[in-house]
Amino acid sequence: QVQLVESGGGLVQAGGSLRLSCAASGSIFSIGAMGWYRQAPGKQRELVARITSGGTTVHADSVKGRFTISRNGDKNTVYLQMNSLKSEDTAVYYCNANVAVLAGRYSNYWGQGTQVTVPS
């Protein structure tokens, strides 16, 4: 069983910062790419940022220069540093990861989501 547990969401004024964390736990053999997605009310879930096991990152155009994704040394935790937050960043943020419980057998997992609210 693999779990992704997010933390760090909340309410912040426009221009402020938040740092999201997502820790993977369970019977993990290895973790591939990890990422953050978000879903605002009435909208589809969208990619915010993604990082490979080797550290290569991709950020959505809407967050480039403001958000930064990173992973810790053991690569089981992924972070999203969010600066210069805007009202349009308001959404539920979901952690996503490709996790192998056996060598070479990756499955995709989602966290439960954490709310980020930036009042307009």
Side-chain angles (χ1 to χ4, degrees):
Q1 187 79 357
V2 174
Q3 287 188 319
L4 301 179
V5 179
E6 300 124 333
S7 60
L11 187 149
V12 63
Q13 297 303 311
S17 298
L18 281 175
R19 189 191 195 207
L20 304 183
S21 300
C22 171
S25 63
S27 300
I28 297 171
F29 180 82
S30 66
I31 301 179
M34 301 182 79
W36 290 96
Y37 290 72
R38 67 186 181 186
Q39 188 166 18
K43 295 187 177 181
Q44 289 189 330
R45 191 172 297 189
E46 62 176 3
L47 172 69
V48 177
R50 194 161 178 83
I51 185 168
T52 67
S53 57
T56 300
T57 62
V58 173
H59 294 80
D61 288 344
S62 60
V63 305
K64 280 181 181 176
R66 300 188 298 122
F67 293 9
T68 303
I69 191 170
S70 61
R71 289 170 80 154
N72 68 346
D74 66 11
K75 300 181 175 64
N76 281 11
T77 303
V78 64
Y79 306 97
L80 186 68
Q81 178 66 43
M82 305 186 293
N83 299 328
S84 302
L85 282 158
K86 305 175 182 179
S87 58
E88 50 262 47
D89 295 318
T90 295
V92 178
Y93 284 70
Y94 296 92
C95 179
N96 178 269
N98 291 328
V99 180
V101 297
L102 296 172
R105 295 191 177 183
Y106 285 89
S107 296
N108 193 252
Y109 294 87
W110 291 92
Q112 80 284 359
T114 186
Q115 177 71 45
V116 172
T117 302
V118 187
S120 56

